[in-house]
């Protein structure tokens, strides 16, 4: 199996950052700048996305989780902190269910345990139809605009569009199908690692009930709600986001 292309910077305890739908490692610029001084930051590009756009994407969330774990094995990384955003949050929940002993601390950001995304700005079937109708580039632009309170004027929008345009159509469609088949709710109560949920109060992809399900079900889970942000808090308010992450990861 081809390994996922990864961005790596820094030294220290590994911190693995997993991007979401139509994303890529370049979307973590502000986090690498802020956190690589104390952590070995590793951002895999999921198969079919970003710099792994040449790879065929798995048809399941479990397949993506297995690929990330195998890539970390290839890098010689056993234990690590783990942060996942959006679809990447589904992937890291699956990783936590599959390899709980490898994860020191878990951050679930702008995500939820139900792949059908009941509160999303549009249904999965609508996204599938718009991909076929409008094409990948236009879809990347349209969907990325929903991730920011200011839409196309949002800080980081252009980066999201560039990363989205690197995806393959196969990966974009396979991801939508993988969401429909995935539900991680049953595993949450068994998570024993320290966990934090981060959510922007204007998120149009994951509503409060998805966030609340994570927070209320994972034992001892902490919650950070950032006001005045949509789906991409880490780009809209990177200073606040990075401070929340750094505080959580700091040993007590």
């Amino acid at each position: 199996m081809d390994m996922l292309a990864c961005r790596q910077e820094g030294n220290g305890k590994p911190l693995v950052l997993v991007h979401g739908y139509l994303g890529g490692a370049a979307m973590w610029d502000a986090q690498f700048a802020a956190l690589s001084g104390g952590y070995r930051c590793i951002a895999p590009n999921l198969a079919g996305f970003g710099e792994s756009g040449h790879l065929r994407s798995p048809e399941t969330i479990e397949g993506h989780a297995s690929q990330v774990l195998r890539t970390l094995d290839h890098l010689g990384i056993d234990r690590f902190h783990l942060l996942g955003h959006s679809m990447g949050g589904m992937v890291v929940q699956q990783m936590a269910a599959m390899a709980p002993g490898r994860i020191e601390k878990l951050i679930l950001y702008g995500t939820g345990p139900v792949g059908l995304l009941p509160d999303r700005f549009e249904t999965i079937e609508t996204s599938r139809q718009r991909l076929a109708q409008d094409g990948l580039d236009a879809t990347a632009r349209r969907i990325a605009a929903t991730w920011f309170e200011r839409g196309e004027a949002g800080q980081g929008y252009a980066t999201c569009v560039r990363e989205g345009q690197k995806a393959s159509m196969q990966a974009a469609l396979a991801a939508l199908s993988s969401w429909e088949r995935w539900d991680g709710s049953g595993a949450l109560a068994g998570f024993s690692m320290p966990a934090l949920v981060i959510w922007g109060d204007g998120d149009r992809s994951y509503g409060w009930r998805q966030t609340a399900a994570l927070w209320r079900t994972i034992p001892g889970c902490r919650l950070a709600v950032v006001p005045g942000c949509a789906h991409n808090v880490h780009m809209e308010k990177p200073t606040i986001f990075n401070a929340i992450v750094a505080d959580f990861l700091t040993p007590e």
Side-chain angles (χ1 to χ4, degrees):
M1 184 201 79
D2 290 328
M3 294 298 111
L4 301 175
C6 291
R7 175 182 181 181
Q8 299 189 67
E9 292 178 25
N11 297 291
K13 173 65 64 177
L15 169 60
V16 179
L17 305 97
V18 183
H19 68 79
Y21 185 59
L22 299 181
M27 293 171 67
W28 298 113
D29 281 353
Q31 287 63 57
F32 271 66
L35 300 170
S36 62
Y39 299 92
R40 178 183 176 187
C41 293
I42 303 158
N45 294 269
L46 296 175
F49 299 98
E51 299 307 317
S52 297
H54 60 291
L55 299 178
R56 182 171 181 81
S57 177
E59 301 287 334
T60 64
I61 295 298
E62 292 85 351
H64 280 292
S66 294
Q67 280 193 318
V68 175
L69 287 168
R70 286 196 294 267
T71 297
L72 294 174
D73 289 342
H74 179 73
L75 295 174
I77 297 167
D78 180 33
R79 286 180 57 80
F80 46 88
H81 299 310
L82 182 60
L83 187 163
H85 178 224
S86 196
M87 172 183 162
M90 300 186 210
V91 173
V92 304
Q93 287 174 70
Q94 189 62 41
M95 290 171 65
M98 294 166 64
R102 297 183 64 176
I103 300 166
E104 297 209 6
K105 292 187 177 183
L106 177 66
I107 302 174
L108 303 174
Y109 154 47
T111 191
V114 180
L116 285 173
L117 279 68
D119 305 308
R120 189 169 180 257
F121 59 91
E122 67 185 19
T123 65
I124 293 173
E125 183 56 32
T126 297
S127 291
R128 187 180 287 120
Q129 292 172 0
R130 293 294 299 270
L131 268 168
Q133 173 185 320
D134 302 337
L136 184 59
D137 286 3
T139 298
R141 292 180 180 278
R142 180 179 64 83
I143 289 181
T146 71
W147 299 341
F148 299 89
E149 286 271 300
R150 298 177 60 214
E152 294 181 6
Q155 180 176 310
Y157 171 76
T159 297
C160 292
V161 170
R162 286 194 298 271
E163 289 298 276
Q165 291 172 339
K166 295 176 184 177
S168 69
M169 181 63 81
Q170 182 271 327
L173 290 170
L176 298 177
S177 297
S178 74
W179 302 354
E180 292 175 317
R181 293 191 289 265
W182 183 82
D183 188 328
S185 302
L188 300 178
F191 288 0
S192 59
M193 71 289 290
L196 167 69
V197 172
I198 303 175
W199 181 67
D201 68 353
D203 196 328
R204 295 177 59 199
S205 296
Y206 291 84
W208 168 246
R209 59 176 162 167
Q210 287 260 58
T211 301
L214 295 173
W215 174 49
R216 291 172 175 156
T217 309
I218 299 172
C221 186
R222 299 179 184 179
L223 172 67
V225 176
V226 182
C229 291
H231 192 49
N232 280 19
V233 179
H234 70 296
M235 292 178 144
E236 290 185 289
K237 295 191 176 180
T239 302
I240 293 173
F241 180 89
N242 295 337
I244 291 169
V245 171
D247 178 73
F248 177 68
L249 296 181
T250 299
E252 296 180 358

